[in-house]
Structure formats: C-alpha cells, structure tokens
Amino acid sequence: MTIDERDFRSVDLNLLVTFEVLMRERHVTHTAHALGISQAAASAALARLRRLFDDELFTRTKDGMAPTPKAKEIAPRIRWALRELSGVLFEEPVFDPAAGDRAFVLAMSDDIEARMLPRMLQYLQAEKLGVSVLVRQSNRYTVESLLTEGSVDLAIGALPGLAESFQREELFSSGYACLYDGRRLGLGTPLGLEDYLAMPHLLVSYDGRRGIVDDLLEARGLRRRIIGSTTHFSGALTPLKTADVVVTLPRHAAEAFAATTDLVLSEPPIPFPRFTVSMAWTPQRENDPAQQWLRGFIRDCLGS
C-alpha cells in the first residue's frame, strides 16, 4: 500500500516522531516516557501508524518491539524527512560538546574497541567534555542494520561489504600479529614458523571453527592445531596468561593488549594481508552538527 496525496495531507507529523522514537527505544513505555506522553497515547499512535502504512511495523518479542522489514525500509526516509523539516523550521544549532550530556552510540567489534575506547575516554576526560561514548558490539553481519535502523550514531571497523549508500571515511590501515606469553612458553620474537605450527592456538572467530590463518596456511599445505576458540578478541586475554597458547589477531588489537600486559607481540611467520579500518554513517547524518563533531573527535583521538 502507498500513501496517496490526500492521505499525506492528513498525516499528523507527531506520528512520524513517534515512529522515530520507537525505532530507537524498541519499547512502547520507553517511547512514551521519551515523548512525555502516556503509554496509552503511544499505543494509539502506533495503531494509527500501522493503519497508515498497512503494516505491523513493530512486533512484540522477548527483547522488546522489533521493527518489521517495512519499518526498516521507511525508517531512513522518515528520519531524513524529520531532519529536513527541522532545518526549515528552526535554525541549525551549534553543537557544544562541553555543555549538556549527549551520549553517542558507536558500533564496533571488540578489536576496534580495544584501540579506540581508551583513547576516547582519555580525550573526554582531558578536555572535560560533557558527552559520553557508548559502544555497541557489532560485526560485518550486523553493522549495516544497526546504521540503517538508527540504533547507532556511527560505525567503526573493517567494512568491505557495506553498501555504497553509506558515507564512509578511512581511518587507518592494519594487519595481523601474534600474541603470547613469552616467559610461559619460553619463546622470544620474532616467532618462527616451526614454533608457530608446534604451539596450540586459540582461535578468535565468529563461528568458532575457522579463521583467515587457516586459509593462508592451507594454501601453503600447512595446518595449525586449534585447541579452543572464542568469539571476542578480549576473550583471549585470560587464556593467554593461563594456557600454553598463541593467538593471531588484528595488529591494532594486539598492540593495545600488549601495551597493558607483559604479553609478547610478534610478526606472523607468514605474510598476511592488510586491511583498512573506516568509520561509516548514514547520509541523513552527514550535516548534523553533533555528528560532524563526533567524526572530528574520532580523528583527533587517532591523532593523539
């Protein structure tokens, strides 16, 4: 169903605002609180939205109200429309990070978090800024939906499969490194191929079965012995200190972990490809003053 011109003229813009807040809160009660209205009024607005778009828009789950495919499809356009209307009616405000208590939500995998979050917190404290940064775990399978539905302000990561419709800026180049307890294992650096293959490995992988290391070794007719796996890079820190294992992980995370522990960082014994880490955001947030400040803040943190 499409909304004809007569229907559009009768649309209460407050309904679109309710839709936008529901996309963020995923809960009718929380939406009502955010809008300063009763829960009954929020429920009535959702019912009107459903009739307007001839779709459920949000379905109840154990985790709250989940948007339907239709809601995800129209969310960027509604957000853009509200943003444009705000620009027409009100002068664009200047964002002051020292005033207020704005919380920015950033999508990152935990290898990026290991490098970025400490720098961000140090910068915020040193500059005595009023904003805060909240990290939401993401990966290449979830980052696009998080950006599209507006759950996060910005994403940072290796984003080769992200749709071209998103805005993107390259931040830095990275590679891979090995991390291990040199004293525990009696190994120095650099780590040789023979020792690398002889040591048990802890795999960090989304599916817990195979990683880029295994593909590169297999291409050379080699194999390593994996004795365990974790889905998070930070999950490798305790096993590295308590078990005889080697971990291969993105170099920026290995450097961050080695800087705060006595773990040894070594170049891998075989060549690994490099990759680019970028930040990405939706076109609707391109000219938002707060978003522009956030992107500059990230650049400053990397340059510090």
Side-chain angles (χ1 to χ4, degrees):
M1 176 182 177
T2 60
I3 303 174
D4 62 27
E5 184 178 354
R6 183 183 59 184
D7 292 331
F8 180 77
R9 287 199 303 266
S10 65
V11 171
D12 181 353
L13 291 179
N14 287 322
L15 291 180
L16 303 185
V17 175
T18 301
F19 175 90
E20 170 76 357
V21 178
L22 270 168
M23 283 296 295
R24 183 181 74 237
E25 298 293 338
R26 306 300 176 84
H27 197 287
V28 173
T29 302
H30 296 168
T31 297
H33 179 75
L35 293 173
I37 60 177
S38 68
Q39 182 173 341
S43 296
L46 175 57
R48 292 176 62 191
L49 282 164
R50 286 168 168 166
R51 292 194 298 271
L52 182 64
F53 290 100
D54 194 22
D55 187 87
E56 279 294 292
L57 296 178
F58 298 91
T59 57
R60 194 175 303 280
T61 70
K62 61 182 180 64
D63 297 318
M65 302 293 285
T68 65
K70 176 68 174 181
K72 293 178 180 179
E73 175 193 341
I74 64 177
R77 286 182 285 170
I78 289 178
R79 191 172 301 117
W80 176 86
L82 291 174
R83 171 73 186 170
E84 289 296 299
L85 182 60
S86 176
V88 171
L89 297 177
F90 308 103
E91 183 178 353
E92 195 67 67
V94 175
F95 179 70
D96 181 4
D101 55 356
R102 172 70 181 267
F104 291 102
V105 184
L106 308 178
M108 300 186 225
S109 54
D110 70 323
D111 61 310
I112 304 295
E113 181 182 339
R115 173 167 183 174
M116 296 296 303
L117 187 58
R119 299 184 183 205
M120 290 179 173
L121 298 183
Q122 290 170 355
Y123 189 103
L124 291 177
Q125 291 179 323
E127 299 296 323
K128 295 181 172 56
L129 301 182
V131 305
S132 57
V133 289
L134 313 178
V135 174
R136 182 162 179 180
Q137 281 292 309
S138 69
N139 55 52
R140 59 181 176 172
Y141 304 106
T142 63
V143 65
E144 189 164 320
S145 63
L146 290 175
L147 284 168
T148 299
E149 67 193 25
S151 299
V152 298
D153 294 287
L154 185 141
I156 304 176
L159 308 169
L162 192 65
E164 294 183 359
S165 58
F166 292 95
Q167 305 290 94
R168 186 191 314 232
E169 179 180 327
E170 294 183 0
L171 294 175
F172 61 90
S173 175
S174 189
Y176 291 86
C178 300
L179 205 60
Y180 49 92
D181 189 328
R183 287 180 296 183
R184 182 183 181 88
L185 301 182
L187 296 174
T189 184
L191 185 61
L193 180 58
E194 184 176 345
D195 287 331
Y196 184 77
L197 296 176
M199 289 303 305
H201 288 248
L202 179 65
L203 170 67
V204 183
S205 171
Y206 182 73
D207 62 9
R209 296 184 178 277
R210 187 178 179 87
I212 185 175
V213 176
D214 305 291
D215 296 334
L216 294 173
L217 288 175
E218 186 177 275
R220 293 168 174 258
L222 303 172
R223 290 187 62 188
R224 62 174 176 168
R225 180 178 172 231
I226 298 173
I227 65 167
S229 71
T230 175
T231 56
H232 293 85
F233 293 102
S234 58
L237 283 174
T238 300
L240 279 167
K241 296 299 296 180
T242 58
D244 298 337
V245 295
V246 173
V247 175
T248 306
L249 67 168
R251 187 176 187 89
H252 53 267
E255 290 174 344
F257 294 151
T260 55
T261 66
D262 56 359
L263 295 171
V264 174
L265 183 148
S266 172
E267 291 291 333
I270 60 173
F272 273 73
R274 295 188 65 80
F275 58 91
T276 299
V277 173
S278 304
M279 58 179 169
W281 59 96
T282 58
Q284 291 79 15
R285 298 183 185 234
E286 171 68 19
N287 297 317
D288 176 25
Q291 171 74 226
Q292 291 175 334
W293 176 87
L294 177 62
R295 299 196 295 267
F297 165 69
I298 291 170
R299 296 185 203 105
D300 290 341
C301 289
L302 285 170
S304 60

